Amino acid sequence: MSFMNLSYRYKVPLWGSFLIVVSALAVSASFMLNAYNKLENDLAIESEQLGYSLKSNLFSAMLQDDVWRAFEIIAEASQRPASARVHVESMVVVDNALRVVVSTHPKETPMLTTMGELGAEFRELATRISVMSGEQAKTVYLRHSKHYYSLTPISKDNTRLGTLVIVHSRDVFLPLYADSAWDALSVGGLILAILLPFNWYWGQRMALPLVQLAARMEQLGKKWPEKLDPALYEYHDELGSLFEAYHHLLKDLKAKETLEARMVQSERLAALGQLAAGIAHEINNPLSGMLTAIDTLKYHTDTSPLTQKTIALIERGLNQVKETVAALLVESKVKSRTLTPQDIEDVLMLISPMSSRKALHIAWHNSISEEIGLPATCIRQILINLLMNAIKAAAHQGEVACDIGIEAAQLRISVSNNGKMLTEEQIAHLFEPFAAFSEGGHGLGLWVTYQVVQQLGGNITVSREMKDRMNFRVTIPIENET
Amino acid sequence: MKLLSLLRIFTLCWTLVSGMALAEPATLRLGITPAMAHGQYALLEEWRSYLQAKLGRPVEFIFRNSYQEHVDLMKLRKLDFSWLSAPAYLESRPYCKLLATPLFQGRPYERAYLIVSADDHTTHSLLDLKGKIFAYADPSSNTGYLVPLHQLQQAGMDSGTYFRKTFFTRDHQKIVAAVAIGLADGGALSGFFWEVLDQSRPDITRQTRIVSKSAEYGMPPLVARSTLNKQDFALMQKVLLNMSTDSEGIRLLERLKLNGFAKTSDRLYRNVFLMMKREGKL
């Protein structure tokens, strides 16, 4: 799997860590390089100063060909105090012909030998010396050499007698450099120790909302994603906007789904209503005929007792059919008087006996104070149906709340009760006739209520409130007939 | 030129100083060369104090690099006594007279040692060192210069070109050091100094090998300028000769690795004199 396909959760911290490590390395390397150059420079300066301090005495010793004095000068100068940073391994004085005049280690660098005979490094030094001009000392670092060399012209008044070669061991260089390098590495380490955990935390912190958002976006269309903790990301940058957009999207989708579900439900209920009304009409016509015929037949005296009995049986059956059909045929358009506050208070009176049987507490709130342009019969029917259902569903000694009022030119009825809760499945089919969950009754109460509300151009919804409370809400637009 | 003017200033200062000290007994000045001092300045200071006490006169040691400078100072009466090499004494006899000769191993004699590095097993005489680097003590030295020069001369060699390179160390014991570290392939020095060094620093002498020892020659004498008054001469001679008779003197002599001082005559330096004659130095 390529790095780029990794989760942001790892990619962001990893990428950050990589950059931090690179930066820390670069900083450390620059420190180390700096320390290296500084050390080289310092050692060069110290060595050149040493050479410079000797050159005047060496000049006069060479001028007088006083080999022994020259030897004593360089031998004494080679004995550096233990505290000195620059230690001298050996010193060699060469003349202008690049021959050894004197050296602190005559056995290795015998007097009068030419530099060319003293090995590759001295040969290289010889070429460097031959191109040197002026009185300026020079420090030479040769590649792969265990030594470094400081070359000091032994000159006075532009007269050069030779060159002092100070040989230093690079062995002292490394411990000195290790000190500086260790400092540099510590700085790098410190940077890493501070930035890496911070980066990891920050990277995770940045990536986590994105990761969770992505996971939820993936779930969209398959199922409703889990809820996203709003505290996960509460800033208003681009990521914050993404979160807001996601929440909007989710809200829109939910609203759309609810709307679709409601449309499906109302279409189904409308179809059912039409079907029921159609069947009811079709049944009503022959039923009226049959009932008239039975009625006529009843008054014929020559019928046997068995026939009489049968007729009575048929009549009862037909009457039941009539009642049922009448119940299915919701007719709200019947002319009715308008609703008065007293009509609503009457309902309370009507249901009181039922509620007291279950010792229920009725929280009644009616804010209607004047006549409203809505058919009183229909509204009363709606209210009675809802309240009876609520009383039926309420637990013993439970509570039924009823709130009636006017809001934005709409009559608003809210009936709620505690007790048995309806499932989502039940809610989906609540307003259909002969609903399977209906206990007692013909299961047409809510169907009728729904039909009446629909015919009045209103809306009925049911929702679960809190943990144990079902709430039916009805809104009906008030026609301003006055 | 510079040196000369410096010397003039120095002389002027010195005249002023000695003029001011006129009321005090005159200071006796003894010249010491590096060859004689060989770094033992604390010991010399003790010896100076000793002489001062014995003489009842202030004593000053004057240090100059070469014998020649001592002779020059004596000519200028800036120096009363000096410890010279035998050739330096013989060369400047009109200006100085023999005061006393130190005794080494009870006798006023020394030998010249020819030394090479202990690693050198092939050199058996000076004649094996042709084309090598050779260290002398001082151009005015007997054992450290004149003797090997004379040997070469005797062998028919041109001492000027015989060695590839020669140099002077001024101090006999430094010849041993120069040979030991390999700066010189060979060197000539007074046997006295080699033996003294052998006692104090055998680690250095062990790095060298004595190739040959020369015949005996008189030890470097202590001399007085010829213009010095007799009392001062006699006083100094007495103090030196009596050094071996008092305990403090003996202690100092022991540290100087000498047995005492003896009154000698020019006969002691006859060999040196003859050599110098042959070398054309006189």
Side-chain angles (χ1 to χ4, degrees):
Chain A
M1 194 167 88
S2 102
F3 172 78
M4 295 316 285
N5 290 336
L6 268 180
S7 162
Y8 256 88
R9 209 164 168 173
Y10 305 109
K11 199 154 63 177
V12 169
L14 277 178
W15 183 242
S17 302
F18 172 72
L19 290 181
I20 287 168
V21 168
V22 167
S23 311
L25 282 178
V27 168
S28 288
S30 126
F31 268 120
M32 284 168 82
L33 192 69
N34 208 19
Y36 187 88
N37 288 337
K38 191 176 177 304
L39 187 65
E40 258 193 6
N41 205 26
D42 284 358
L43 292 182
I45 287 171
E46 281 179 48
S47 179
E48 283 163 19
Q49 279 172 347
L50 177 65
Y52 194 78
S53 70
L54 303 178
K55 82 183 226 182
S56 170
N57 282 338
L58 281 174
F59 184 86
S60 68
M62 281 183 83
L63 199 63
Q64 293 164 15
D65 194 24
D66 196 339
V67 172
W68 183 254
R69 216 175 102 214
F71 171 77
E72 284 191 318
I73 291 165
I74 58 173
E76 200 179 323
S78 300
Q79 306 299 316
R80 305 281 292 166
S83 58
R85 286 214 301 177
V86 168
H87 290 272
V88 175
E89 195 165 288
S90 65
M91 288 198 205
V92 181
V93 175
V94 295
D95 60 15
N96 287 337
L98 302 174
R99 278 187 320 176
V100 175
V101 174
V102 69
S103 80
T104 53
H105 294 71
K107 281 178 184 165
E108 285 100 62
T109 43
M111 206 188 289
L112 301 178
T113 46
T114 56
M115 289 183 82
E117 300 169 60
L118 294 172
E121 291 193 10
F122 272 89
R123 259 199 300 282
E124 173 63 27
L125 289 176
T127 55
R128 303 280 183 102
I129 289 170
S130 53
V131 295
M132 265 173 90
S133 61
E135 308 208 342
Q136 203 59 46
K138 197 171 151 186
T139 302
V140 177
Y141 292 95
L142 295 178
R143 228 172 226 223
H144 309 305
S145 171
K146 288 178 175 170
H147 300 101
Y148 67 99
Y149 302 89
S150 143
L151 311 174
T152 310
I154 301 168
S155 56
K156 221 176 218 177
D157 268 355
N158 286 331
T159 307
R160 184 161 160 189
L161 298 182
T163 310
L164 168 65
V165 180
I166 306 178
V167 184
H168 300 281
S169 170
R170 278 195 95 116
D171 293 346
V172 296
F173 193 90
L174 276 174
L176 285 174
Y177 180 59
D179 283 350
S180 317
W182 180 247
D183 286 349
L185 280 178
S186 305
V187 169
L190 196 69
I191 291 173
L192 290 183
I194 292 171
L195 290 188
L196 276 185
F198 185 73
N199 162 68
W200 197 260
Y201 167 76
W202 186 247
Q204 291 267 350
R205 178 90 178 74
M206 289 295 288
L208 190 68
L210 213 56
V211 168
Q212 295 206 355
L213 193 62
R216 276 158 183 73
M217 295 286 266
E218 239 172 68
Q219 286 173 356
L220 275 182
K222 295 174 197 158
K223 59 172 186 175
W224 284 110
E226 295 158 44
K227 210 164 150 44
L228 205 56
D229 182 8
L232 196 63
Y233 201 85
E234 48 200 8
Y235 310 109
H236 298 286
D237 52 9
E238 287 80 357
L239 193 55
S241 305
L242 206 57
F243 264 72
E244 275 168 35
Y246 168 75
H247 286 302
H248 275 304
L249 178 70
L250 205 62
K251 209 170 129 191
D252 287 351
L253 282 175
K254 275 201 168 147
K256 191 177 161 227
E257 200 191 58
T258 313
L259 193 69
E260 277 174 358
R262 201 175 286 164
M263 271 174 68
V264 167
Q265 194 185 29
S266 57
E267 272 171 19
R268 192 169 65 226
L269 289 173
L272 269 172
Q274 279 176 1
L275 181 68
I279 291 169
H281 276 296
E282 288 306 314
I283 290 171
N284 257 353
N285 288 336
L287 193 62
S288 301
M290 277 193 269
L291 277 170
T292 312
I294 287 290
D295 204 34
T296 313
L297 196 60
K298 224 166 50 181
Y299 294 105
H300 283 273
T301 49
D302 55 345
T303 49
S304 65
L306 181 64
T307 311
Q308 284 291 337
K309 210 176 170 182
T310 308
I311 286 168
L313 189 74
I314 292 169
E315 193 180 24
R316 279 200 303 279
L318 288 175
N319 272 327
Q320 197 183 342
V321 170
K322 192 185 172 186
E323 275 170 31
T324 308
V325 167
L328 276 172
L329 255 179
V330 180
E331 194 53 77
S332 67
K333 294 274 161 48
V334 281
K335 265 285 174 210
S336 163
R337 59 187 177 78
T338 51
L339 186 70
T340 63
Q342 192 53 50
D343 286 323
I344 292 163
E345 291 304 322
D346 285 348
V347 174
L348 178 63
M349 287 280 285
L350 278 168
I351 56 134
S352 286
M354 264 177 87
S355 71
S356 53
R357 263 202 297 279
K358 278 182 97 168
L360 295 175
H361 170 68
I362 307 281
W364 184 264
H365 183 251
N366 174 22
S367 58
I368 308 284
S369 55
E370 54 187 28
E371 228 177 279
I372 297 169
L374 284 173
T377 324
C378 295
I379 302 304
R380 277 164 60 111
Q381 194 179 0
I382 292 165
L383 205 49
I384 287 166
N385 277 350
L386 290 180
L387 280 168
M388 274 167 63
N389 270 341
I391 287 163
K392 251 187 258 173
H396 193 70
Q397 289 187 328
E399 193 192 73
V400 170
C402 180
D403 188 1
I404 302 139
I406 294 170
E407 207 174 81
Q410 283 190 323
L411 176 70
R412 182 181 47 76
I413 300 168
S414 163
V415 175
S416 65
N417 67 281
N418 67 351
K420 219 173 135 197
M421 304 297 288
L422 292 170
T423 62
E424 287 289 338
E425 176 67 21
Q426 285 174 329
I427 289 170
H429 298 283
L430 196 62
F431 299 110
E432 291 171 20
F434 313 110
F437 58 89
S438 174
E439 290 165 15
H442 43 49
L444 286 172
L446 281 174
W447 152 259
V448 169
T449 308
Y450 181 87
Q451 295 297 327
V452 171
V453 171
Q454 287 291 310
Q455 285 172 24
L456 290 175
N459 191 16
I460 180 164
T461 57
V462 61
S463 61
R464 284 184 286 197
E465 267 181 11
M466 293 181 285
K467 271 187 177 171
D468 60 343
R469 192 168 271 274
M470 294 302 305
N471 187 10
F472 286 82
R473 216 177 271 274
V474 175
T475 51
I476 298 164
I478 299 165
E479 290 166 21
N480 218 339
E481 286 185 1
T482 52
Chain B
M1 281 303 281
K2 254 185 187 171
L3 196 73
L4 211 69
S5 54
L6 263 173
L7 206 67
R8 260 187 219 139
I9 291 164
F10 181 75
T11 315
L12 193 70
C13 291
W14 191 250
T15 321
L16 281 170
V17 170
S18 42
M20 284 193 297
L22 212 60
E24 305 225 332
T27 304
L28 291 174
R29 295 154 301 186
L30 173 60
I32 307 276
T33 56
M36 302 302 170
H38 54 83
Q40 303 186 85
Y41 296 103
L43 173 60
L44 288 173
E45 178 56 27
E46 282 180 51
W47 190 36
R48 193 189 65 81
S49 304
Y50 172 84
L51 291 175
Q52 202 160 258
K54 291 287 170 185
L55 291 164
R57 296 271 294 276
V59 172
E60 192 185 357
F61 281 3
I62 307 271
F63 297 95
R64 289 294 181 275
N65 257 341
S66 67
Y67 297 114
Q68 195 51 51
E69 282 173 84
H70 286 227
V71 175
D72 287 342
L73 285 173
M74 280 201 286
K75 285 182 193 168
L76 294 164
R77 300 190 174 205
K78 299 298 168 205
L79 203 57
D80 304 311
F81 308 100
S82 181
W83 199 342
L84 292 182
S85 68
Y89 159 62
L90 294 171
E91 253 177 2
S92 47
R93 255 195 304 189
Y95 309 101
C96 52
K97 50 188 179 182
L98 199 56
L99 182 73
T101 304
L103 298 173
F104 171 54
Q105 292 170 343
R107 299 172 70 243
Y109 293 102
E110 64 168 350
R111 290 172 195 270
Y113 283 11
L114 172 66
I115 58 165
V116 291
S117 165
D119 304 331
D120 177 356
H121 304 295
T122 55
T123 302
H124 302 294
S125 83
L126 196 59
L127 299 178
D128 294 324
L129 289 170
K130 188 174 163 60
K132 297 286 176 69
I133 296 161
F134 198 81
Y136 294 122
D138 188 283
S140 294
S141 171
N142 178 38
T143 49
Y145 185 62
L146 187 61
V147 172
L149 214 65
H150 183 65
Q151 285 174 354
L152 286 178
Q153 212 82 346
Q154 294 288 91
M157 303 291 172
D158 177 3
S159 61
T161 55
Y162 184 73
F163 297 115
R164 192 173 173 208
K165 170 103 188 164
T166 61
F167 61 89
F168 298 97
T169 66
R170 310 285 166 191
D171 180 339
H172 284 255
Q173 293 190 340
K174 286 178 180 170
I175 303 259
V176 186
V179 172
I181 59 166
L183 194 63
D185 298 310
L189 78 156
S190 160
F192 164 69
F193 290 108
W194 196 94
E195 299 296 342
V196 167
L197 188 67
D198 192 40
Q199 282 176 34
S200 59
R201 294 292 302 272
D203 58 311
I204 300 175
T205 51
R206 221 180 289 136
Q207 294 177 56
T208 62
R209 178 170 67 89
I210 301 167
V211 174
S212 64
K213 297 178 182 179
S214 72
E216 285 186 327
Y217 298 97
M219 284 281 277
L222 273 140
V223 302
R225 68 178 155 91
S226 50
T227 49
L228 188 72
N229 65 64
K230 280 187 177 145
Q231 293 88 337
D232 285 352
F233 182 88
L235 184 64
M236 181 57 112
Q237 197 172 49
K238 194 180 139 210
V239 168
L240 289 174
L241 297 182
N242 287 343
M243 258 189 90
S244 55
T245 59
D246 69 85
S247 61
E248 205 190 340
I250 291 168
R251 207 171 45 77
L252 278 168
L253 284 169
E254 270 174 13
R255 289 170 67 195
L256 287 163
K257 311 292 177 195
L258 295 171
N259 303 108
F261 291 91
K263 206 169 154 182
T264 53
S265 73
D266 282 355
R267 276 235 313 277
L268 183 65
Y269 302 103
R270 185 160 173 75
N271 287 351
V272 182
F273 179 80
L274 290 174
M275 265 196 303
M276 286 175 78
K277 270 276 192 202
R278 268 180 235 129
E279 292 297 316
K281 288 191 185 277
L282 280 172

